[in-house]
Amino acid sequence: MPVILGIESSCDETSAAVCVDGEILSNVIANQTIHAAYGGVVPELASRVHQQNIIPAVQQALLNAKVSKNDIDAVAFTRGPGLLGSLLVGVSFAKAFALGKNLPLIEVNHMQGHILAHFIDEPKPQFPFLCLTVSGGHTQIVLVKDYFDMQVVGQTTDDAAGEALDKTSKILGLPYPGGPMIDKYARLGKSDAFAFPEPNIPGLDFSFSGLKTSIMYFIRDNVAANPNFMEERMADICASVEKRVVTILLNKLKKAAVQYDIRDIALAGGVSANTGLRQGLTALGQEKGWNTFIPKFEYCTDNAAMIAIAGYHKYLKNDFVGQEVAPLARMPF
Ligand code: KG4
Ligand code: ZN
């Protein structure tokens, strides 16, 4: 019955979770609201706030799980990819805790963590499955052959899907964080109001920078003709942009499913919290006869539960790291 403490601090969420024998008993997420004033995550501020939040988050996670720090068998932490200063706080905390209690340390790749969030609740996907992992920094189609045997078969050649939504939201003058704002307005608008181009990228790779540029010019030209254009058509613009991002993602996923002959299809990462993407994948799955898997909202955006569950599966394989481990801003798998 291993008790794993999971720590996540790769970007602007400080999170701690407790996993007992493969079951998540707590998942505390401290959001950093300070970045809203700057329109995006300020790395220096993020690491300072992690430093303030980490101990209270861990204490709350232990309390919620009704677990004492003496019950912990191993500490799992996000080693990368992410902001180095942010990662340093979680990695240093994990190392200090493990050193103090003489516990093994387990490193987790943040992107693998997002995918392994599918092993928290039922129903769980069967190996091999395809996972579309979409976050603020990454857009990948991953062939998941086993818990830690994963192959990126398609990825963005420029911006990530979340980045495209965040940048669009900024162009529209909406407050940070952008993705959830676009989601909110999109629910009120018509997705066929405006047509944005779908890039022609070969294979399973993605591109979002052309879309971002076309949105910029579209807004500039329309605002020149009508200064109130954005306010008047905000919902329709958001719905149309979201629709294009979703179709770009799902069209590549369709292609990957055929290429790899796989019917278990999963969604992971912060953008999988998006209502349009969740509905789009569910509808496509019904049409194609796929088994689709979408994590609960709290396990889509950054959280330590996914790190703790990944840690549990590494614990079963005795896959530990030493105290010399250091964070990695880039961490391919
Ligand atoms: O995985 P995540 O929490 O952090 C990274 O590892 O990057 O993903 C954050 C991304 C941001 O781009 C954010 O705008 C987007 O996920 N996001 C959403 C929604 N919730 C978060 N995008 C669209 N709709 C949402 N509801
Ligand atoms: Zn993430």
Side-chain angles (χ1 to χ4, degrees):
M1 276 238 332
V3 180
I4 314 285
L5 173 65
I7 304 291
E8 157 65 34
S9 72
S10 65
C11 190
D12 61 340
E13 254 93 37
T14 320
S15 182
V18 174
C19 174
V20 177
D21 207 22
E23 200 185 328
I24 296 298
L25 297 193
S26 64
N27 182 38
V28 172
I29 304 170
N31 301 112
Q32 301 187 358
T33 47
I34 190 165
H35 306 288
Y38 301 89
V41 178
V42 183
E44 171 75 20
L45 292 178
S47 36
R48 290 185 200 199
V49 182
H50 280 306
Q51 196 70 262
Q52 292 165 355
N53 287 350
I54 188 112
I55 304 250
V58 170
Q59 281 172 336
Q60 193 61 49
L62 294 174
L63 207 66
N64 292 359
K66 299 188 175 59
V67 157
S68 139
K69 52 181 184 292
N70 299 321
D71 299 330
I72 310 267
D73 293 305
V75 187
F77 63 94
T78 301
R79 184 178 181 195
L83 301 171
L84 202 70
S86 288
L87 290 164
L88 259 173
V89 178
V91 174
S92 302
F93 173 87
K95 285 166 71 166
F97 192 96
L99 188 65
K101 294 266 163 209
N102 198 22
L103 298 175
L105 277 169
I106 303 169
E107 66 168 39
V108 176
N109 179 302
H110 179 83
M111 300 312 292
Q112 289 196 338
H114 272 303
I115 295 171
L116 295 173
H118 286 286
F119 294 92
I120 295 175
D121 289 327
E122 298 293 341
K124 299 179 170 74
Q126 302 278 313
F127 298 117
F129 64 92
L130 283 171
C131 189
L132 172 66
T133 314
V134 270
S135 70
H138 292 79
T139 301
Q140 302 174 328
I141 297 179
V142 183
L143 175 61
V144 188
K145 298 176 214 162
D146 205 343
Y147 292 106
F148 301 100
D149 185 3
M150 305 184 185
Q151 187 190 342
V152 178
V153 296
Q155 60 193 318
T156 183
T157 52
D158 41 56
D159 293 352
E163 203 176 340
L165 292 172
D166 292 341
K167 284 180 180 164
T168 301
S169 151
K170 218 169 182 174
I171 297 169
L172 294 173
L174 295 173
Y176 170 87
M181 290 305 293
I182 301 246
D183 192 344
K184 199 176 121 198
Y185 278 103
R187 308 280 68 77
L188 309 169
K190 288 197 280 300
S191 63
D192 58 358
F194 305 110
F196 295 105
E198 178 161 4
N200 188 10
I201 306 293
L204 299 176
D205 286 340
F206 301 92
S207 166
F208 288 98
S209 68
L211 176 63
K212 179 187 65 191
T213 311
S214 76
I215 294 165
M216 233 163 64
Y217 287 134
F218 167 84
I219 298 291
R220 187 197 62 185
D221 295 347
N222 279 285
V223 169
N226 168 14
N228 297 325
F229 176 71
M230 283 203 293
E231 293 73 22
E232 287 170 9
R233 306 299 300 273
M234 188 62 85
D236 287 342
I237 301 167
C238 289
S240 304
V241 169
E242 183 190 276
K243 166 86 179 302
R244 176 51 75 215
V245 170
V246 169
T247 46
I248 292 173
L249 293 170
L250 295 184
N251 282 344
K252 291 289 177 159
L253 201 49
K254 266 195 260 188
K255 212 167 164 179
V258 172
Q259 195 168 320
Y260 289 93
D261 191 21
I262 286 182
R263 305 169 81 81
D264 272 25
I265 312 280
L267 204 57
V271 182
S272 54
N274 180 261
T275 314
L277 182 58
R278 295 169 86 92
Q279 288 172 350
L281 180 66
T282 306
L284 185 62
Q286 279 162 359
E287 179 196 318
K288 299 279 177 193
W290 294 345
N291 305 310
T292 53
F293 302 87
I294 306 176
K296 273 204 313 211
F297 272 108
E298 74 169 298
Y299 302 140
C300 285
T301 45
D302 290 348
N303 68 88
M306 67 188 198
I307 304 305
I309 196 81
Y312 166 71
H313 287 283
K314 281 202 169 183
Y315 184 94
L316 298 181
K317 293 162 32 124
N318 286 316
D319 189 350
F320 304 122
V321 291
Q323 277 283 340
E324 69 287 351
V325 69
L328 295 171
R330 289 174 166 273
M331 188 178 176
F333 57 86

